[in-house]
Amino acid sequence: MSSNTTPEKVTAEHVLWYIPNKIGYVRVITAALSFFVMKNHPTAFTWLYTTSCLLDALDGTMARKYNQVSSLGAVLDMVTDRSSTAGLMCFLCVQYPQWCVFFQLMLGLDITSHYMHMYASLSAGKTSHKSVGEGESRLLHLYYTRRDVLFTICAFNELFYAGLYLQLFSNSATFGKWTTIISFPGYVFKQTANVVQLKRAALILADNDAKNANEKNKAN
């Protein structure tokens, strides 16, 4: 039996109900539910938030397996990632007011770098923001082409914030402390990747603008 389940004539409704997109909807629901229990129920929050994060590794696999790769799925995946992390960081800003500016800066870097990188990649004619050649950036090439590296670094990034969250509760404070310490190197790698992709995106957009300006000048 073929793994390609896409019908001959694909409609918008088909795309909306692609298997990976269904997984994406579950990610949104579990992430949203985790916000409601975040303040007083750390165990429930951990299960819901972890489920949303782990499903992130499943939707891409299902998209490739069933030939159901879509722009909707790619955007849904990215905004769910950014939104779920942002929700957790908002809570941490309240609980760690002395680190509020740091969290704000990291959140701004996360959102800005991913949005600009996706927009720049699509503007340059690439089918995905994950299409990065080794000659363009070794770090981003490693980060985006090796699924094991991408999953591990993203997991460490989430674990760093989750560790800070768990330290707020007496029965999980020690575990949270060690989670934060162990995940810190991966967290630093992730923020470095964000800076690199932000710089790359700015250069791509500036290069496109320069080409468009030159073509306009020639036409005049």
Side-chain angles (χ1 to χ4, degrees), residues 98 121 207:
Q98 70 274 27
S121 298
D207 185 59

Side-chain angles (χ1 to χ4, degrees), residues 23-185:
I23 295 172
Y25 304 148
V26 175
R27 289 193 64 206
V28 172
I29 292 170
T30 51
L33 289 175
S34 74
F35 298 158
F36 285 97
V37 299
M38 184 181 292
K39 183 178 180 180
N40 299 313
H41 305 283
T43 301
F45 166 78
T46 300
W47 278 107
L48 288 166
Y49 195 84
T50 300
T51 298
S52 181
C53 292
L54 289 178
L55 287 176
D56 185 23
L58 182 61
D59 56 5
T61 301
M62 293 296 102
R64 290 182 292 272
K65 179 178 180 180
Y66 293 106
N67 191 28
Q68 293 184 342
V69 176
S70 66
S71 297
L72 171 62
V75 173
L76 179 62
D77 182 54
M78 176 175 286
V79 297
T80 303
D81 287 341
R82 308 282 73 76
S83 298
S84 56
T85 304
L88 176 54
M89 291 178 73
C90 286
F91 183 76
L92 293 178
C93 280
V94 175
Q95 299 300 322
Y96 295 95
Q98 70 274 27
W99 292 101
C100 183
V101 174
F102 171 77
F103 292 137
Q104 289 174 312
L105 290 173
M106 292 303 98
L107 179 57
L109 173 63
D110 190 39
I111 294 174
T112 304
S113 64
H114 281 84
Y115 173 79
M116 282 187 63
H117 194 242
M118 173 175 274
Y119 184 84
S121 298
L122 295 177
S123 298
K126 294 182 180 290
T127 57
S128 171
H129 68 286
K130 295 182 180 180
S131 301
V132 181
E134 189 172 4
E136 298 177 273
S137 170
R138 289 186 178 181
L139 185 144
L140 289 182
H141 178 75
L142 173 67
Y143 179 63
Y144 279 125
T145 61
R146 288 278 302 274
R147 291 185 194 130
D148 55 340
V149 174
L150 180 64
F151 177 81
T152 301
I153 295 302
C154 288
F156 278 144
N157 184 70
E158 296 299 331
L159 285 170
F160 178 80
Y161 292 125
L164 292 175
Y165 167 80
L166 291 173
Q167 289 181 57
L168 297 169
F169 303 91
S170 57
N171 60 343
S172 59
T174 301
F175 179 75
K177 177 181 178 181
W178 281 107
T179 298
T180 302
I181 293 172
I182 293 171
S183 61
F184 183 70

Side-chain angles (χ1 to χ4, degrees), residues 179-199:
T179 298
T180 302
I181 293 172
I182 293 171
S183 61
F184 183 70
Y187 177 79
V188 172
F189 184 102
K190 180 69 166 63
Q191 307 319 310
T192 303
N194 283 344
V195 172
V196 173
Q197 73 175 356
L198 179 62
K199 178 183 176 181

Side-chain angles (χ1 to χ4, degrees), residues 209-219:
D209 287 337
K211 289 178 180 178
N212 291 335
N214 289 331
E215 289 177 2
K216 184 177 180 180
N217 290 335
K218 286 181 182 179

